[in-house]
Amino acid sequence: MLASADTLDGPDETVRVESVTHECRDGLVRLTVTCVSTRWLRRKQVVEFRPDAIACHATVRGQGRLGMVRLLGGARLPQGLLPSGTAHRTVFSPNPDHPWRVARSAVEPAVISANGEGGEPGVGRWLFTPAPTCFGLSRERADDDRHLPAGSWLMLGLAAARRSFVEFGYDPTPGGFSVRCEYQGHTRVDGTFVTPTVLLLFGAADPYDGLRRYRAELAARGLAPAVADRPVADHWRQPIFCGWGAQCALAVEEGSRAPELSRQDRYEGFLDTLERRGLVPGTVTVDDKWQERYATCHPDPDRWPDLAGFIARRHAAGQRVLLWWKAWDPEGAPAEACVRDPNGNPLAIDPESRLGRSVIEEAVTRMLSPDGLDADGLKIDFIGRTPSGTGLLHAGPSWGFDLLHELLAVVYRAAKRVKPDSLIVTHTPDPGFLDVTDMIRLNDVLHLDHPDGRTLPEPSADAVVEQMTYRARVVRAACPELLVDTDGWCLPDRRALAAYAVAAPDLGVPALYYVDRMEFDPDGLDETTWSAVAAGWAAHRARYGLPTPGQPTRTGSEPS
């Protein structure tokens, strides 16, 4: 029941326990443990017991810049860290930080973060940034890391009104564990600070049932809305073609870089080729790098000489267009609009800077306004580049999860102001981000920054479907009111592409990234593959009564 709230000036260690008191009221038992601390004037830990749950938090009084807050364990003198004891053998994380695994050993750490990176080893926790801040614990041992053990689960979640930490970590020790939140010195305490509350929710049938219970607990505490239907525009459900996979395949073939192949002539060719195969997407995503500069979002005149005209022609064909937007990137923004390093160099656009907000709002207006490019929404990517580090300088009080939320809130509000039915796609399936997104993208299939990222378990097609089904179940459990973009890049071979095309309509909105070739499959796509994609799209459209763009819409007076 100890805790620690370290500051940049030094660690918080318990000198002694001063008192333990308890009270019982309305079926609730509350213990309060008051400690003498090396860092704070006073620290109290409060543990509340209900028949089906335990909740713990700490309160500190004094001054300091928070570093790491540890709960369900704390540092004490003279023996060091005292964690909570455990009997669980398996941990479930809703964060897909491994290319194929769903279950992990209880002695392996896990992290849910607003910060991560693709392409760099050891920090590949960016696919969901953030995932729901809730782990699952089981006393049973998993037979393998792709399948969860049967039996009930204990859910280990976090509840907080303010989340100015960058990551929430599960830290095991032999026979024990604790959890931590990394504040990195960007939260100043001058008086009293109340830590996030750790929730222990008992008796979930499986981790997905546990995530639903976690969402309900957040709603009961006023930290997330109760699950309710949200308005969904019909065109949001239309099958998606995103050109990124085709760009990557061409880059391999031509020996170039994929961002250089985001070109108007290439995309027109992609769509012509798909149409000849009988595949007409309802939504077209123009991917990286159509912009001249990431922050300002003017089209690159060499690659996209008439992006507005391209979008207008898609509209005339009954299609919608999403533009890829790179979160945080400061390219083209003035330094005073940005989070900066100690030398003043811009590192990320700062949504709490007046100038930073202005840069973002102007870019969103330019992309979506009928007087600008007239796009129909944004695919927001690189969310995991949320700034991290104690030495960074920024304008406002937010950091970590809260700063990321503010960035997306500026984008979302501007988009809905300009075009109310615009579609905003993110990869943030945490309930605290429900108000800044319409659709959750399951993100990259292959995890190329992991040592096993391109080595699939056999059979590979089954591994792809299993992994993406796990991600979709996380989204549906935590944020069931949001649509799911099933993604589809990058895939190992055409067999996996066909298998996932068949499975995707049961997970969400089908998405296609390829046109005639793939990066890792030397053979071109064949008729079997295209038949699978066409069948998946047809099944999805039939399920929701969606028309194929360019085909006449049937009315009741027409023959069926």
Side-chain angles (χ1 to χ4, degrees), residues 45-63:
Q45 293 87 199
V46 176
V47 186
E48 296 179 341
F49 298 86
R50 299 193 322 232
D52 61 344
I54 299 173
C56 336
H57 72 270
T59 301
V60 297
R61 185 162 59 87
Q63 294 181 324

Side-chain angles (χ1 to χ4, degrees), residues 244-259:
W244 178 247
Q247 291 173 226
C248 292
L250 280 175
V252 171
E253 182 182 36
E254 299 178 0
S256 57
R257 295 180 62 253

Side-chain angles (χ1 to χ4, degrees), residues 317-528:
Q319 297 169 306
R320 307 291 178 122
V321 177
L322 303 183
L323 294 178
W324 183 88
W325 187 71
K326 189 178 182 183
W328 299 114
D329 200 294
E331 184 185 34
E336 56 268 32
C338 298
V339 177
R340 290 158 289 161
D341 69 14
N343 294 321
N345 298 310
L347 301 177
I349 200 80
D350 187 347
E352 291 191 320
S353 155
R354 180 188 58 79
L355 186 55
R357 284 196 303 273
S358 177
V359 170
I360 296 168
E361 291 167 348
E362 288 176 7
V364 172
T365 301
R366 181 174 299 114
M367 289 186 283
L368 303 186
S369 170
D371 297 328
L373 299 175
D374 200 21
D376 303 286
L378 304 175
K379 172 187 174 181
I380 302 179
D381 205 355
F382 283 80
I383 294 170
R385 289 194 174 177
T386 301
S388 177
T390 60
L392 300 184
L393 309 174
H394 53 104
S398 300
W399 196 246
F401 283 50
D402 286 348
L403 190 64
L404 171 58
H405 184 276
E406 186 59 27
L407 175 81
L408 297 178
V410 172
V411 173
Y412 194 84
R413 289 193 298 261
K416 297 301 181 177
R417 184 169 59 249
V418 174
K419 187 170 287 187
D421 68 344
S422 59
L423 172 62
I424 305 301
V425 184
T426 71
H427 44 92
T428 58
D430 175 86
F433 289 79
L434 280 164
D435 59 332
V436 294
T437 187
D438 302 312
M439 178 183 282
I440 299 296
R441 182 167 66 96
L442 299 185
N443 222 320
D444 300 356
V445 180
L446 290 185
H447 201 160
L448 301 182
D449 66 333
H450 193 281
D452 297 331
R454 298 188 192 184
T455 306
L456 280 77
E458 291 295 336
S460 64
D462 289 347
V464 166
V465 173
E466 286 174 359
Q467 171 66 198
M468 302 308 276
T469 298
Y470 143 66
R471 297 185 200 178
R473 292 188 72 183
V474 167
V475 177
R476 288 183 171 176
C479 305
E481 56 269 74
L482 296 180
L483 297 179
V484 171
D485 170 359
T486 56
D487 206 277
W489 182 85
C490 53
L491 288 161
D493 53 42
R494 60 188 180 182
R495 193 165 64 93
L497 173 57
Y500 192 44
V502 172
D506 290 330
L507 306 182
V509 177
L512 174 67
Y513 278 68
Y514 298 103
V515 174
D516 49 18
R517 59 181 65 82
M518 305 172 73
E519 303 96 323
F520 305 128
D521 192 333
D523 299 319
L525 300 180
D526 56 14
E527 288 305 316
T528 300

